[in-house]
Amino acid sequence: MEQLNNLNSINDFNEAKQVIVGGVNSPVRAFKSVGGTPPFIREGRGAYLVDEDGNRYIDFVQSWGPLIFGHCDKEIEESVIQTLQKGLSFGAPTTLETALAKAVISMYEGIDKIRFVSSGTEATMSAIRLARAYTGREDIIKFEGCYHGHSDSLLVQAGSGLATFGNPSSPGVPKDFSKHTLVARYNDIQSVKDCIQKSTGVGAIIIEPIAGNMGLVPAKKEFLAELRELCTKHNIVLILDEVMSGFRASSSGSYGIYGIKGDLVTFGKVIGGGMPVGAFGGSEEIMNLLSPNGAVYQAGTLSGNPVAMSAGLASLYKIKQNPKLYEKLERLALKLTEGLKKICEEFKIPLQTCVRGSMFGFFFNENEVKNFEDALKSDTKMFARFHQGMLNKGVYFACSQFETGFICDCMDEAMIDSVLERACEVLREISTYGE
């Protein structure tokens, strides 16, 4: 396959490895699952990234989701600049926090109050603490393949059976931390019932209703409805992790697709407009357990940072002003995934695709992917070759088979057509020359 000139990125990566662990500040960025050297990005404009070698890429990562309006959106950028000219951070209340809280609550069903944090990990960690306090029970259930940040109690994997307590999936996580976390199979309600039966008391079930961290794998509507019923029956707090899907899948996240409410919901990505932001919200009854109203402690020096709040406000305002936004983004996502599937059929390459609003995913897999076990059967070597080939042709897809892609408002049909032409060239070369 043709190769980009990436000498500067190679040098930058080698230099970074001398002072940053692995040369990156988040593991997937190291490109270990797809090979090659990660491009070191110099700037982004609209739908494009430009690396330190001057290579230009159509960007389907969009900072892993938050840039629904692309890089350097004029209105969001102006809002951020106006705010930062007044100060970067105060560690004190601002009206911007209230304004963004009102905006999120007005657009998302079932939330009375909200608390801002600085990351998705903080949001899910805090929501679980709150749920445990509310129910008085220590066990939680998560789903294999769902990622909720890197807090200790959530870094677990399934044991020998589905209804088993999780084992730490990272060194440094004490078994005592993870012993209260049970792991169920995504889209399998019986596995959830087995976990509940095995536990002495489940306080919370946390789920990505539209999973984006095993590739894009949405929950089946009937499964999510049954999960809601189970939680209501057993007085378990249902936490919907919408850090990725909130305001990405629709203007009201998964609720706009399924119509199913969580007791607590976690947010991130889009509500920060590209700045580091997380949040969790729910009913007034549960949320009022938080300090200073209640005894559940949660705090953060940079929580509600004014610059981040202004970026989020500008982003949500633009969403509200464009009622046909998600229709357009979904149309482009379908054009891309259906085009890829058609090309793969031509070359007899198995491919499964999925779209939810502006989110899309594809697996080099013979069968539909309904859970993490299905996802693991995908051809990761094929994905790596495809990823490398597309990168060399100026298309930047997520650097793992088990991640999600994103469409931004700066993209159009001509751009998608161009991507499909390049994909056809890459897949033809792969099918012709094989390994």
Side-chain angles (χ1 to χ4, degrees):
M1 288 186 177
E2 60 186 276
Q3 294 293 320
L4 290 175
N5 172 20
N6 63 343
L7 183 60
N8 288 340
S9 283
I10 291 172
N11 291 336
D12 291 338
F13 192 35
N14 287 334
E15 183 178 359
K17 284 188 280 190
Q18 305 308 308
V19 289
I20 299 173
V21 179
V24 294
N25 285 301
S26 190
V28 73
R29 301 177 194 174
F31 270 43
K32 285 200 169 184
S33 66
V34 292
T37 298
F40 270 54
I41 305 305
R42 186 173 69 209
E43 63 178 316
R45 286 282 183 272
Y48 292 92
L49 291 173
V50 179
D51 69 16
E52 291 291 350
D53 291 278
N55 299 309
R56 192 166 179 249
Y57 309 92
I58 298 173
D59 178 22
F60 288 107
V61 176
Q62 293 295 320
S63 191
W64 302 99
L67 306 181
I68 200 165
F69 298 102
H71 299 276
C72 291
D73 175 79
K74 182 180 178 182
E75 287 84 5
I76 296 174
E77 199 173 58
E78 287 177 353
S79 179
V80 167
I81 291 170
Q82 288 174 10
T83 302
L84 68 83
Q85 287 175 336
K86 299 175 185 177
L88 294 175
S89 180
F90 308 121
T94 69
T95 57
L96 287 170
E97 296 166 87
T98 305
L100 184 56
K102 286 181 176 179
V104 173
I105 290 169
S106 71
M107 296 171 73
Y108 205 97
E109 198 72 26
I111 296 178
D112 299 324
K113 288 188 176 180
I114 200 167
R115 173 68 63 87
F116 291 110
V117 291
S118 296
S119 70
T121 292
E122 282 185 69
T124 56
M125 177 181 69
S126 302
I128 287 171
R129 180 183 302 161
L130 186 57
R132 281 173 163 154
Y134 179 75
T135 59
R137 306 181 207 134
E138 294 186 342
D139 290 351
I140 65 171
I141 297 173
K142 74 175 291 285
F143 293 86
E144 190 176 18
C146 284
Y147 177 72
H148 307 289
H150 56 87
S151 60
D152 284 351
S153 63
L154 291 170
L155 277 182
V156 300
Q157 60 190 7
S160 57
L162 286 173
T164 58
F165 287 89
N167 297 312
S169 57
S170 171
V173 177
K175 288 185 178 181
D176 283 349
F177 279 33
S178 59
K179 71 181 182 181
H180 292 294
T181 303
L182 295 94
V183 184
R185 176 184 283 149
Y186 199 76
N187 278 320
D188 181 348
I189 199 65
Q190 186 58 50
S191 72
V192 183
K193 293 177 180 177
D194 291 344
C195 285
I196 293 173
Q197 186 175 13
K198 184 176 182 67
S199 170
T200 55
V202 175
I205 296 178
I206 185 168
I207 187 172
E208 289 181 277
I210 302 172
N213 291 286
M214 52 176 135
L216 183 63
V217 183
K220 302 292 185 183
K221 185 173 182 177
E222 58 273 20
F223 166 73
L224 209 56
E226 289 179 299
L227 191 62
R228 174 67 276 176
E229 290 175 10
L230 266 181
C231 287
T232 302
K233 177 182 177 182
H234 294 282
N235 296 313
I236 296 169
V237 173
L238 176 60
I239 304 172
L240 298 183
D241 182 350
E242 299 243 45
V243 167
M244 187 177 289
S245 57
F247 304 103
R248 251 299 178 181
S250 81
S251 60
S252 53
S254 69
Y255 183 82
I257 295 170
Y258 299 117
I260 294 169
K261 299 179 187 177
D263 299 303
L264 290 172
V265 184
T266 63
F267 297 102
K269 311 293 184 182
V270 179
I271 69 163
M275 298 293 293
V277 178
F280 61 104
S283 70
E284 188 167 3
E285 179 186 8
I286 298 177
M287 293 299 290
N288 275 344
L289 293 178
L290 282 174
S291 178
N293 288 13
V296 179
Y297 192 73
Q298 184 279 325
T301 302
L302 297 178
S303 296
N305 175 275
V307 180
M309 297 294 99
S310 65
L313 267 172
S315 184
L316 292 192
Y317 177 78
K318 285 174 71 72
I319 289 172
K320 281 187 173 182
Q321 295 300 110
N322 190 346
K324 294 188 176 180
L325 173 65
Y326 293 94
E327 180 183 319
K328 171 196 170 180
L329 299 177
E330 185 172 50
R331 185 176 67 251
L332 293 177
L334 286 169
K335 181 179 178 67
L336 174 65
T337 54
E338 289 172 0
L340 286 173
K341 193 168 183 66
K342 186 176 180 181
I343 294 167
C344 282
E345 286 173 357
E346 180 183 344
F347 295 117
K348 295 181 172 54
I349 297 172
L351 188 76
Q352 304 297 319
T353 65
C354 181
V355 167
R356 287 295 182 274
S358 63
M359 304 168 68
F360 70 89
F362 56 90
F363 296 90
F364 289 101
N365 198 313
E366 294 274 2
N367 302 303
E368 179 189 4
V369 175
K370 303 183 292 295
N371 52 53
F372 192 47
E373 185 179 346
D374 293 340
L376 289 175
K377 296 174 184 175
S378 301
D379 188 342
T380 54
K381 289 183 179 179
M382 171 64 80
F383 179 86
R385 296 200 69 202
F386 178 70
H387 182 275
Q388 188 176 65
M390 293 302 287
L391 194 69
N392 288 333
K393 290 187 179 293
V395 180
Y396 193 92
F397 282 120
C399 48
S400 168
Q401 172 69 93
F402 308 111
E403 296 288 353
T404 295
F406 303 93
I407 302 291
C408 75
D409 190 41
C410 302
M411 295 175 179
D412 57 26
E413 293 199 4
M415 189 177 292
I416 301 300
D417 284 334
S418 172
V419 171
L420 292 174
E421 288 174 8
R422 301 178 214 190
C424 187
E425 294 172 6
V426 170
L427 291 166
R428 178 183 290 112
E429 186 172 347
I430 289 174
S431 66
T432 300
Y433 298 105
E435 293 296 328

